Amino acid sequence: MHHATCPQLSVVVAVYNGAAFLEQFFQCLSAQSIDDMEVIMVNDGSTDNSVDIIHQWQPQFANMKIIDQANQGVSVARNTGLAEATGLYLSFPDIDDYFRPGMYRRMLDMAQTGNLDVVTCNGNYIWENNKKPSRPIFPKDKLQSTGVLTGAQWLKQALDSRKFLHVTWLNLYRHDFIRAHHFSFEPGLRHQDIPWTTEVLLAADRVQYTDEQFYDYYIHSASVSHMPDNDDTLIRSARHYMKILQMLDEINQRYPEKVQHIPACRWQIAKEGLGILHTFFNMKDPQKQRMIVQEFFDTGVWKLVWRNAHSLRLRWRLGRRYFRLRKILQSPA
């Protein structure tokens, strides 16, 4: 690939019914003041007027590609954009958040200076109508700016802080690194940033973190994660997480010598496993509950969770819940 003519940065954006957010999003992008920035807008089958807004903004960006596809979810949309990207570095922002002027400039400078595979910054949680005061995504007392680390060292620090959020939008990636490892996003999987970030960091040789807060992550009362749950959404969520645990376990097996030094790679499987159990216990319909608990055992995910619970405390918490699970399975049909 001939680098002389490549844009410095490709911004890959999945858009599904984003009309309410696109105006602010494009303003954030124009404020980045990076001259050779490639913007790849993947319209993932929007049914609102997102496409019109994107086309209105196109003249503002010298280098914008617009790709239309049938709705296939954020992972496939990101993969589509990734396949088209030509920049030296990549970013994957979410359209409904706010990122500050200077974010990408600062991160590009860090990436180029340190010859980094991945560069990460901090952000803020912002609650709608200021329901809670905003706070840093990574608390400053738990994670401070680093020098250049291996990805495994940073992953260990980040997971050990117990405050780490697996998200792509706080990161910039070196395109050749992503290409060399053939990384892509898992189609149709919610929270696929968890396995993506874990594997990217285990593979990366040079990573650096700045605790500067460039990104505001909005917590909307209307967002998917805050809708009232019913049994069917709980089952769907449990299945997504079961798949994530299987992926995390496969990742751990692909990088054994690194994971050996990062107990938290096993801890995150056990912790998310406890979350799945919580989901089961919140279900109302005993038949659906028994069905999904049976699946949890049949697919081997329970064994996986137990095998990865290395601390006595985790084993104790899982052991107590094991008896509740067996009880659910034994309840009369």
Side-chain angles (χ1 to χ4, degrees):
M1 177 145 194
H2 187 54
H3 282 176
T5 55
C6 292
Q8 278 188 68
L9 176 64
S10 293
V11 182
V12 175
V13 190
V15 181
Y16 176 67
N17 292 352
F21 309 109
L22 281 167
E23 202 68 31
Q24 171 184 282
F25 175 78
F26 282 125
Q27 279 162 1
C28 291
L29 260 193
S30 355
Q32 293 304 307
S33 61
I34 291 167
D35 304 327
D36 53 345
M37 178 170 70
E38 174 181 63
V39 180
I40 301 178
M41 304 299 296
V42 183
N43 170 41
D44 188 37
S46 297
T47 54
D48 65 1
N49 64 330
S50 291
V51 180
D52 305 334
I53 302 171
I54 294 169
H55 280 284
Q56 280 159 22
W57 275 87
Q58 193 171 18
Q60 310 276 337
F61 296 93
N63 196 352
M64 186 194 282
K65 296 179 184 165
I66 303 171
I67 303 170
D68 281 301
Q69 63 179 34
N71 179 257
Q72 295 166 78
V74 65
S75 299
V76 176
R78 281 176 178 170
N79 289 340
T80 301
L82 177 55
E84 290 292 315
T86 62
L88 297 177
Y89 295 90
L90 304 164
S91 74
F92 300 94
D94 278 357
I95 54 170
D96 51 349
D97 298 323
Y98 172 82
F99 46 106
R100 302 182 183 195
M103 171 170 171
Y104 287 156
R105 178 77 273 152
R106 169 86 175 103
M107 292 175 83
L108 275 173
D109 291 345
M110 285 173 69
Q112 284 156 346
T113 307
N115 185 24
L116 305 176
D117 296 325
V118 184
V119 53
T120 299
C121 71
N122 202 353
N124 298 290
Y125 289 116
I126 309 281
W127 274 267
E128 193 179 36
N129 312 327
N130 298 321
K131 266 207 282 272
K132 294 183 185 174
S134 81
R135 61 181 172 81
I137 292 175
F138 304 139
K140 303 267 184 162
D141 58 331
K142 296 271 199 283
L143 289 170
Q144 284 103 23
S145 296
T146 66
V148 178
L149 306 170
T150 67
Q153 286 171 318
W154 166 244
L155 182 64
K156 183 176 184 343
Q157 266 188 47
L159 289 176
D160 284 350
S161 77
R162 300 301 192 241
K163 295 288 181 196
F164 185 55
L165 195 65
H166 299 76
V167 289
T168 52
W169 31 258
L170 291 174
N171 299 334
L172 227 57
Y173 307 94
R174 191 166 59 83
H175 196 170
D176 280 344
F177 160 71
I178 298 295
R179 208 185 265 121
H181 290 275
H182 307 290
F183 287 139
S184 64
F185 296 93
E186 182 68 24
L189 184 65
R190 278 199 356 224
H191 315 293
Q192 40 83 46
D193 286 10
I194 300 175
W196 161 272
T197 307
T198 301
E199 179 145 30
V200 161
L201 289 177
L202 284 170
D205 290 323
R206 299 177 64 82
V207 174
Q208 193 172 4
Y209 168 68
T210 172
D211 60 19
E212 296 163 273
Q213 291 150 276
F214 284 118
Y215 197 103
D216 289 342
Y217 174 57
Y218 290 103
I219 298 176
H220 313 275
S221 45
S223 76
V224 179
S225 45
H226 296 267
M227 297 305 252
D229 281 315
N230 60 45
D231 283 355
D232 293 338
T233 60
L234 290 172
I235 287 173
R236 212 168 35 241
S237 166
R239 282 185 177 142
H240 281 288
Y241 274 105
M242 282 156 67
K243 167 87 173 147
I244 284 168
L245 297 194
Q246 291 168 323
M247 288 173 73
L248 287 174
D249 187 56
E250 285 158 18
I251 291 167
N252 287 353
Q253 289 172 35
R254 280 201 286 277
Y255 300 86
E257 59 302 319
K258 291 181 180 177
V259 166
Q260 197 186 332
H261 303 292
I262 314 175
C265 280
R266 295 189 295 264
W267 166 81
Q268 64 175 348
I269 292 180
K271 179 196 71 111
E272 300 293 1
L274 277 165
I276 294 175
L277 299 187
H278 188 72
T279 310
F280 296 157
F281 298 143
N282 279 337
M283 292 177 61
K284 308 273 188 293
D285 177 338
Q287 251 157 340
K288 287 181 176 173
Q289 187 184 44
R290 190 166 62 247
M291 184 266 314
I292 190 73
V293 170
Q294 188 67 58
E295 198 175 304
F296 185 61
F297 282 105
D298 291 347
T299 51
V301 178
W302 162 261
K303 265 206 180 78
L304 183 64
V305 172
W306 181 257
R307 199 173 71 232
N308 282 280
H310 279 239
S311 72
L312 279 172
R313 178 150 178 270
L314 277 172
R315 289 231 148 164
W316 162 248
R317 290 173 67 190
L318 285 166
R320 288 174 51 198
R321 287 162 177 81
Y322 175 78
F323 292 102
R324 279 183 73 182
L325 294 174
R326 300 305 312 177
K327 219 176 180 160
I328 290 169
L329 291 184
Q330 286 151 14
S331 63

